[in-house]
């Protein structure tokens, strides 16, 4: 069995948007392991034509899509002893533990857009290719403003 080197590799992510029931909307993205989570964040939002103007966080996940360790867009520790990981300071290769690694991106905490991100392949870097790259689009992404925030006053 061939061992997988999670460093100096290219991850192929399948990004599934949890949006319209019974409709699949996903994008495949190639990204270098030395890119950070902010690069992945920006590429995902670009792939779905979202503006990127809202707060968001990644969560390292298990096979059941349970949220684990948070990697936030901004440091939200507010002076606590242990600062949380931030997207721009955390490299992908530092959080890739499994050949089928799952990560959840929650974008806009009021509207709760949820992107399920799974590594579906790990390849060698191709010097002729620019990363990150959107290599497949399936389904039509909804408008970012098409989802209403729930009424919190109920």
């Amino acid at each position: 069995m061939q061992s997988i080197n999670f460093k100096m590799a290219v991850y192929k992510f399948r990004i599934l948007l949890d949006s319209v029931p019974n409709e699949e909307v996903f994008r495949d993205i190639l990204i270098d392991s030395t890119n950070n989570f902010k690069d992945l964040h920006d590429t995902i939002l670009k792939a779905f034509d979202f503006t990127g103007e809202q707060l968001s966080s990644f969560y390292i996940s298990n096979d059941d899509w349970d949220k684990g360790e948070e990697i936030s867009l901004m440091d939200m520790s507010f002076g606590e002893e242990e600062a949380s990981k931030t997207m721009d300071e955390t490299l992908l290769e530092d959080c890739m533990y499994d050949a089928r690694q799952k990560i959840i991106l929650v974008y806009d905490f009021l509207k709760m857009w949820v992107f399920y991100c799974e590594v579906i392949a790990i390849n060698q870097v191709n010097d002729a290719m620019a990363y990150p790259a959107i290599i497949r689009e399936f389904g039509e992404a909804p408008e970012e403003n098409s989802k209403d925030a729930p009424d919190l006053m109920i």
Side-chain angles (χ1 to χ4, degrees):
M1 183 173 177
Q2 180 184 5
S3 68
I4 297 172
N5 183 2
F6 293 96
K7 298 187 185 280
M8 298 183 60
V10 173
Y11 305 130
K12 181 178 181 181
F13 276 96
R14 171 136 315 146
I15 314 297
L16 179 67
L17 175 59
D18 182 22
S19 59
V20 182
N22 302 320
E23 282 189 39
E24 263 192 283
V25 178
F26 69 85
R27 306 292 183 258
D28 289 349
I29 293 172
L30 293 177
I31 189 163
D32 191 303
S33 63
T34 60
N35 281 110
N36 61 33
F37 276 85
K38 179 74 165 78
D39 297 325
L40 180 59
H41 170 271
D42 293 347
T43 305
I44 291 169
L45 297 181
K46 178 181 175 185
F48 289 92
D49 294 321
F50 281 33
T51 63
E53 296 174 352
Q54 302 298 321
L55 288 177
S56 53
S57 285
F58 281 101
Y59 298 89
I60 305 300
S61 181
N62 61 19
D63 286 341
D64 295 325
W65 294 104
D66 296 321
K67 288 182 186 175
E69 180 180 20
E70 180 179 11
I71 302 168
S72 59
L73 185 59
M74 300 169 41
D75 182 0
M76 304 296 281
S77 62
F78 301 109
E80 296 171 10
E81 279 186 37
E82 190 173 324
S84 61
K85 287 185 177 181
T86 59
M87 291 182 200
D88 60 347
E89 296 175 347
T90 308
L91 299 179
L92 294 172
E93 67 186 11
D94 293 336
C95 295
M96 295 293 114
Y97 314 114
D98 188 330
R100 304 295 288 181
Q101 182 71 54
K102 292 176 172 66
I103 302 169
I104 299 168
L105 172 62
V106 176
Y107 173 76
D108 188 339
F109 290 102
L110 289 177
K111 295 184 179 180
M112 293 297 291
W113 289 106
V114 178
F115 298 86
Y116 295 98
C117 314
E118 181 176 5
V119 174
I120 58 173
I122 300 173
N123 303 309
Q124 293 181 344
V125 174
N126 178 346
D127 292 330
M129 188 161 188
Y131 302 106
I134 303 162
I135 60 168
R136 184 173 183 200
E137 297 183 11
F138 183 87
E140 189 170 330
E143 293 287 325
E144 181 176 344
N145 294 322
S146 66
K147 195 174 191 181
D148 292 325
D151 186 356
L152 301 176
M153 299 306 289
I154 296 177

